[in-house]
Amino acid sequence: MKVVIPGGTGQVGMILNRALTAAGHEVVVLTRRPVRDREVGWDGKTLGPWAEEIDGSDIVVNLAGRSVSCRYTAANLQAMMDSRVHSTRVVGEAIAAAVRPPRVWLQMSTATVYSHRFDAPNDEATGALGGTESGVPGYWAYSVEIAKAWERAQERAETPYTRKVSMRSAMVMSPDRGGVFDVLLRLVRLGLGGPVAGGAQYVSWIHDRDFVRAVEFLADRDDLAGPVNLAAPVPLPQRTFMRVLRAAWGVPVGLPATKWMAELGAFVLRSDTELLLKSRRVVPGRLLEAGFAFDHAQWPEAADDLVRRVRGGPGLTSFHEVLAGLRAAWARSRRCG
């Protein structure tokens, strides 16, 4: 089976590439800077020779879009919007022009499309879309608009022979360097993995191997189209989520952070507090209804597995190495502007 992954050089793309290649599939990654075998250049907004890779492929998994790990300035938010909408639109154009179009187009989206809420979980049928909440920063609404425009670009693509699925993904947890789990674990190891702004906000997540299995499940199920939540079935308040992670690593305490402390830390790392403070209480209604069985449905078991995998490979061991790793992450984040 041939799988084309536009924007496949990020953490999630590497997880998918690794798993699908190991399973014997042919994987082609579309990237602005091809350097490895089976990477093909594209600009993410105009048709080019790269479209030949989509013609005759079986599955397209579009992950393209500028990283959200940056300061949410007006310019960066616009760049996030443009990179997602333009890349989705041109992938649709390539599929529409293909003589042998792929049978399914799995399009990355985000759980951020849902409302900031604590009272009830958001599934695909009854979940409340965000953008009109009170008591949150006004620019949070633009993140929701990005998500809506991202999905709308796929919906509007004329691809009658290709099934379309929009994957509203929660944070993908993997032991790989540079990912969200890596950042959270570094905080735990520094003794900083406590509640943020009280820690009542919900964290939605999915184990990396369940993410891969869900992608394979969606590719095989011809009866599933439209938005599908990719998230473990049990989101947790941030304070509980981090307490479980501390227990998995063996750190008894984690210093709490107030909202202003979180804002200061986000400024230093050139990130944004929305990633920490928005309550993303998302559940996988359609996956469960379709019979998908999570291997890692509960966070304590998933955290234990991820910690074992971190400890089983090369990792940071000393306090100074952890600090060096955080400085490296900060340096990478500066590329976001």
Side-chain angles (χ1 to χ4, degrees):
M1 184 170 68
K2 181 178 180 181
V3 183
V4 179
I5 309 179
T9 57
Q11 183 211 10
V12 174
M14 293 178 68
I15 290 168
L16 269 181
N17 190 347
R18 188 167 58 225
L20 295 174
T21 300
H25 302 299
E26 177 189 359
V27 178
V28 176
V29 171
L30 304 183
T31 174
R32 288 176 173 81
R33 291 176 290 275
V35 295
R36 300 180 182 88
D37 186 39
R38 305 308 295 157
E39 290 184 350
V40 174
W42 79 326
D43 65 2
K45 58 185 178 182
T46 54
L47 285 173
W50 59 265
E52 297 173 7
E53 298 292 345
I54 286 179
D55 196 339
S57 67
D58 299 285
I59 300 171
V60 172
V61 186
N62 184 22
L63 306 176
R66 182 172 182 170
S67 171
V68 299
S69 182
C70 60
R71 298 297 294 166
Y72 281 15
T73 63
N76 285 341
L77 287 169
Q78 188 63 53
M80 290 181 207
M81 173 75 85
D82 292 345
S83 65
R84 283 157 176 74
V85 171
H86 294 166
S87 60
T88 302
R89 183 181 298 138
V90 78
V91 166
E93 291 173 359
I95 292 174
V99 175
R100 294 172 298 160
R103 58 183 176 82
V104 60
W105 170 11
L106 304 179
Q107 172 62 47
M108 194 64 161
S109 183
T110 173
T112 296
V113 74
Y114 290 109
S115 174
H116 167 77
R117 66 189 301 188
F118 305 87
D119 60 325
N122 290 303
D123 65 13
E124 300 91 339
T126 64
L129 299 186
T132 60
E133 305 96 317
S134 60
V136 301
Y139 71 90
W140 284 17
Y142 194 75
S143 295
V144 175
E145 289 307 310
I146 291 173
K148 291 178 179 178
W150 205 1
E151 295 186 3
R152 197 158 50 239
Q154 186 195 33
E155 291 169 6
R156 291 176 175 173
E158 297 292 336
T159 59
Y161 305 106
T162 300
R163 177 169 54 93
K164 297 183 288 189
V165 178
S166 179
M167 304 186 297
R168 292 176 175 173
S169 180
M171 293 186 295
V172 180
M173 298 291 172
S174 90
D176 298 294
R177 289 289 180 86
V180 63
F181 182 78
D182 184 46
V183 172
L184 295 174
L185 190 57
R186 291 177 193 275
L187 294 175
V188 165
R189 296 168 75 171
L190 284 171
L192 302 176
V196 175
Q201 64 275 24
Y202 275 80
V203 177
S204 288
W205 57 278
I206 185 169
H207 188 282
D208 62 330
R209 290 173 177 166
D210 276 336
F211 179 86
V212 172
R213 293 178 57 249
V215 167
E216 294 172 333
F217 184 86
L218 292 171
D220 290 340
R221 286 291 297 261
D222 291 338
D223 57 328
L224 289 175
V228 177
N229 293 345
L230 270 62
V234 188
L236 295 171
Q238 186 267 343
R239 56 175 173 260
T240 305
F241 184 90
M242 294 305 295
R243 183 174 68 244
V244 170
L245 181 53
R246 294 197 308 270
W249 190 257
V251 174
V253 295
L255 293 178
T258 63
K259 184 177 178 181
W260 75 263
M261 292 169 67
E263 290 172 347
L264 178 61
F267 178 80
V268 170
L269 293 174
R270 303 185 70 80
S271 185
D272 197 90
T273 54
E274 185 201 38
L275 302 173
L276 293 172
L277 301 180
K278 181 169 181 176
S279 185
R280 295 171 174 83
R281 193 175 179 184
V282 179
V283 293
R286 296 191 69 194
L287 277 178
L288 294 176
E289 290 171 3
F292 181 80
F294 285 83
D295 285 343
H296 304 277
Q298 301 285 338
W299 178 234
E301 184 276 331
D304 285 343
D305 175 78
L306 292 164
V307 163
R308 281 195 300 269
R309 289 162 64 193
V310 169
R311 285 181 162 147
L316 302 178
T317 56
S318 74
F319 178 81
H320 295 293
E321 287 174 313
V322 173
L323 284 177
L326 283 172
R327 284 195 294 268
W330 173 79
R332 288 193 301 271
S333 72
R334 295 190 66 185
R335 301 191 192 109
C336 286

